[in-house]
Amino acid sequence: MTGYYVLVDCNNFFVSCERVFNPSLEGKPVVVLSSNDGCVVSRSEEVKRLGVRMGAPYFTVRDICLRHHVVVYSSNYQLYGDLSGRVMAVLAMRNPDLQVYSIDEAFLWYPPTMTPEEVVAESIEIRRRVMQWVGIPTSLGIAPTKTLAKVATKRAKGSTSGVIDITSPVVREEILRRFPIRDVWGVGARCEEALHAMGIQSAWDLCTADPLYIRRRLGVSGERMVWELQGVSCLPLEEASPNQSMTCSRSFGENVACAELLGQALSTHVASVCERLRRQHVCASAMSVYLVRIPESSDPSDASKPKDSIDRSRYVETTVSFPMPTSNTPQAIRAAKECLSRLFVPGQRYKKCGVVMIGLMPEESVAPDLFLSQSDDHKTRICHKEALFYGATGIDRRWKARCDLRSPRYTTCWNELARVR
DNA sequence: TCTGGGGTCCTAGGACCC
DNA sequence: TCTGGGGTCCTAGGACCC
């Protein structure tokens, strides 16, 4: 598909959300932590300049944060999700050819009948409106492919206008030559290593490599990167597609060795994921339940492991199929407890648990009479999170994650609304 | 002492079939 | 007694993304 891809990327999104409701944070160093206050997931420019890395475990940067009076927040996903929806609504109003790519990014597509100047003008207008109507600063990159739009957006960060157009091949070469290979969309740690071994250091090196050679070394995703960098679009705008799986998992605030508490945590995760299933009008055919044991005290291999690799030796999992695809909370809780009894080892301590709903299908494709005959279904529908929760999810909640530093849920919680004095 | 959570896609290998 | 080649489907694991 020829034409223009425009990537709209919210700057330091979570930090910017906090600033919308607390303007005094403007110009101050701010970070937002992941759930359980584990690591840094969003940093203001001031914090980036202090050398605090994305994803750094909080305890490793706490000192520097204290020293520089960094304002620290726990994650407030309800707030971020709500503001994300507002940003996307502004974009959709401007251009219905949009793909929401993540909580803080969306691709827009414009037809080749437009001139680059027109697309730039439109991008500047979009940026202005998102700022004025939602209060979130953005960066926009314009290019003939999604991968190049990613490059452009990265360059747009920190530029004065916030909009960069790299449709011209001359401008593009100039930028790609100075663009590290690791920053190309789709190049992770392993891929970077392989590319370096081939003598490829910059995005330009990859752009000018032989696609077939790259395919043999890196598979189809590698080949696609080459074409995309050359300006040949291989990744079209995607329709919003229903999820293939849905999961809910949390690390515990403190380690758990008690089957009952594990059951409560799992029940809470099941209730939450079932609510999401129903909201999206889908049912799950099966469910996986897993527990993660705490690491042994002396495990030297730890540091060398890539972050995303799952250590199977600490991870136990079991799967159940439902007789009929379902989104019914009580039924899923019963199944989860059954799974737990299979997995649980007395005396073993655990640090995390989770559920994964798989084989998702639309509600209407599940035989409707059977669906309605589920006696608990009505109860399920009136169950509102926090107002009325399942007994199985427990009262004491000792397993709950830490989030001591969370800001108020200004937009989604009645008793946490912003007050004007 | 303390290192998140929720996803997708691709590939290799095994089981099975003809 | 001998033991091909090609296809499909499924799954686990790896890699990557934000």
Side-chain angles (χ1 to χ4, degrees), chain A residues 351-376:
Chain A
K351 63 167 192 175
K352 176 178 180 177
C353 70
V355 300
V356 188
M357 295 299 191
I358 46 189
L360 304 193
M361 56 179 62
E363 259 171 18
E364 63 264 22
S365 72
V366 178
D369 51 331
L370 283 165
F371 190 72
L372 290 174
S373 75
Q374 293 176 353
S375 60
D376 297 317

Side-chain angles (χ1 to χ4, degrees), chain A residues 100-116:
Chain A
V100 176
Y101 178 68
S102 73
I103 194 164
D104 69 340
E105 282 174 276
F107 288 102
L108 304 171
W109 182 81
Y110 293 92
T113 48
M114 288 176 76
T115 65

Side-chain angles (χ1 to χ4, degrees), chain A residues 1 67-68 120 148 159 180 184 188 194 208 259 272 311 327 331 409:
Chain A
M1 182 154 56
R67 233 180 0 258
H68 292 89
V120 169
L148 287 169
S159 74
V184 173
T208 49
S272 145
D311 185 343
S327 60
Q331 184 188 356
R409 289 162 287 193

Side-chain angles (χ1 to χ4, degrees), chain A residues 9-242:
Chain A
D9 191 325
C10 300
N11 299 345
N12 336 318
F13 183 55
F14 297 168
V15 166
S16 296
C17 289
E18 298 294 346
R19 283 176 169 165
V20 168
F21 287 92
N22 190 350
S24 74
L25 298 172
E26 214 60 57
K28 290 190 190 152
V30 182
V31 298
V32 176
L33 303 179
S34 65
S35 106
N36 220 13
D37 295 346
C39 35
V40 172
V41 290
S42 185
R43 308 157 296 159
S44 70
E45 288 306 320
E46 299 77 13
V47 173
K48 289 176 192 171
R49 282 199 293 271
L50 291 176
V52 173
R53 297 248 299 273
M54 181 67 172
Y58 179 51
F59 75 91
T60 64
V61 295
R62 183 183 285 136
D63 283 351
I64 194 172
C65 287
L66 284 172
R67 233 180 0 258
H68 292 89
H69 308 287
V70 174
V71 184
V72 180
Y73 285 101
S74 301
S75 285
N76 186 345
Y77 287 106
Q78 293 191 43
L79 178 67
Y80 311 150
D82 183 68
L83 289 187
S84 170
R86 295 176 195 216
V87 170
M88 300 310 168
V90 173
L91 301 184
M93 242 183 281
R94 253 349 250 194
N95 182 354
D97 282 326
L98 122 155
Q99 176 191 350
V100 176
Y101 178 68
S102 73
I103 194 164
D104 69 340
E105 282 174 276
F107 288 102
L108 304 171
W109 182 81
Y110 293 92
T113 48
M114 288 176 76
T115 65
E117 293 73 26
E118 286 169 327
V119 180
V120 169
E122 174 63 14
S123 299
I124 291 170
E125 177 59 15
I126 285 176
R127 187 168 185 271
R128 195 186 65 77
R129 289 208 182 190
V130 172
M131 190 62 196
Q132 186 182 343
W133 293 1
V134 194
I136 299 287
T138 51
S139 301
L140 289 82
I142 305 163
T145 69
K146 284 178 162 182
T147 305
L148 287 169
K150 278 271 192 187
V151 170
T153 304
K154 216 153 219 173
R155 282 290 162 269
K157 303 241 174 202
S159 74
T160 43
S161 71
V163 176
I164 298 280
D165 165 29
I166 60 166
T167 48
S168 136
V170 180
V171 175
R172 207 148 76 213
E173 174 173 346
E174 162 81 21
I175 286 179
L176 291 183
R177 279 185 185 280
R178 287 178 294 130
F179 200 82
I181 194 68
R182 183 59 170 83
D183 291 348
V184 173
W185 193 31
V187 177
R190 305 306 286 267
C191 187
E192 176 191 29
E193 206 179 310
L195 287 164
H196 279 171
M198 293 178 233
I200 292 174
Q201 303 288 338
S202 70
W204 182 251
D205 294 338
L206 183 57
C207 176
T208 49
D210 174 13
L212 282 177
Y213 172 74
I214 297 297
R215 184 192 183 121
R216 277 197 300 274
R217 300 296 191 89
L218 299 178
V220 289
S221 2
E223 183 187 1
R224 262 201 305 255
M225 283 191 272
V226 180
W227 291 120
E228 282 262 318
L229 286 173
Q230 291 185 10
V232 179
S233 178
C234 309
L235 302 165
L237 216 60
E238 284 168 32
E239 309 260 320
S241 59

Side-chain angles (χ1 to χ4, degrees), chain A residues 211-406:
Chain A
L212 282 177
Y213 172 74
I214 297 297
R215 184 192 183 121
R216 277 197 300 274
R217 300 296 191 89
L218 299 178
V220 289
S221 2
E223 183 187 1
R224 262 201 305 255
M225 283 191 272
V226 180
W227 291 120
E228 282 262 318
L229 286 173
Q230 291 185 10
V232 179
S233 178
C234 309
L235 302 165
L237 216 60
E238 284 168 32
E239 309 260 320
S241 59
N243 285 46
Q244 304 194 21
S245 67
M246 245 186 240
T247 110
C248 184
S249 66
R250 289 287 179 281
S251 300
F252 305 130
E254 47 191 274
N255 295 330
V256 170
C258 158
E260 190 177 340
L261 288 179
L262 285 171
Q264 290 175 9
L266 279 176
S267 300
T268 305
H269 301 341
V270 168
S272 145
V273 81
C274 283
E275 194 178 301
R276 275 157 56 209
L277 288 173
R278 293 193 296 273
R279 212 180 311 142
Q280 295 196 19
H281 303 288
V282 292
C283 289
S285 318
M287 176 176 69
S288 270
V289 170
Y290 67 88
L291 306 176
V292 182
R293 304 202 324 255
I294 58 165
E296 304 307 327
S297 48
S298 56
D299 189 350
S301 64
D302 260 22
S304 60
K305 289 199 184 86
K307 178 180 172 286
D308 273 348
S309 79
I310 298 163
D311 185 343
R312 298 279 156 192
S313 67
R314 284 191 212 145
Y315 180 95
V316 285
E317 180 184 21
T318 184
T319 302
V320 279
S321 294
F322 296 115
M324 288 288 296
T326 185
S327 60
N328 180 278
T329 304
Q331 184 188 356
I333 287 180
R334 279 193 298 274
K337 296 212 156 169
E338 172 65 32
C339 291
L340 175 60
S341 67
R342 271 187 258 161
L343 296 174
F344 179 72
V345 177
Q348 178 64 57
R349 294 197 300 157
Y350 299 91
K351 63 167 192 175
K352 176 178 180 177
C353 70
V355 300
V356 188
M357 295 299 191
I358 46 189
L360 304 193
M361 56 179 62
E363 259 171 18
E364 63 264 22
S365 72
V366 178
D369 51 331
L370 283 165
F371 190 72
L372 290 174
S373 75
Q374 293 176 353
S375 60
D376 297 317
D377 196 56
H378 183 62
K379 265 190 279 173
T380 305
R381 284 176 192 288
I382 61 168
C383 172
H384 187 268
K385 229 207 272 189
E386 296 184 38
L388 170 66
F389 57 85
Y390 287 92
T393 63
I395 305 292
D396 89 5
R397 313 204 142 198
R398 261 181 297 162
W399 46 270
K400 286 282 264 187
R402 287 182 295 269
C403 59
D404 308 327
L405 310 167
R406 201 191 61 217

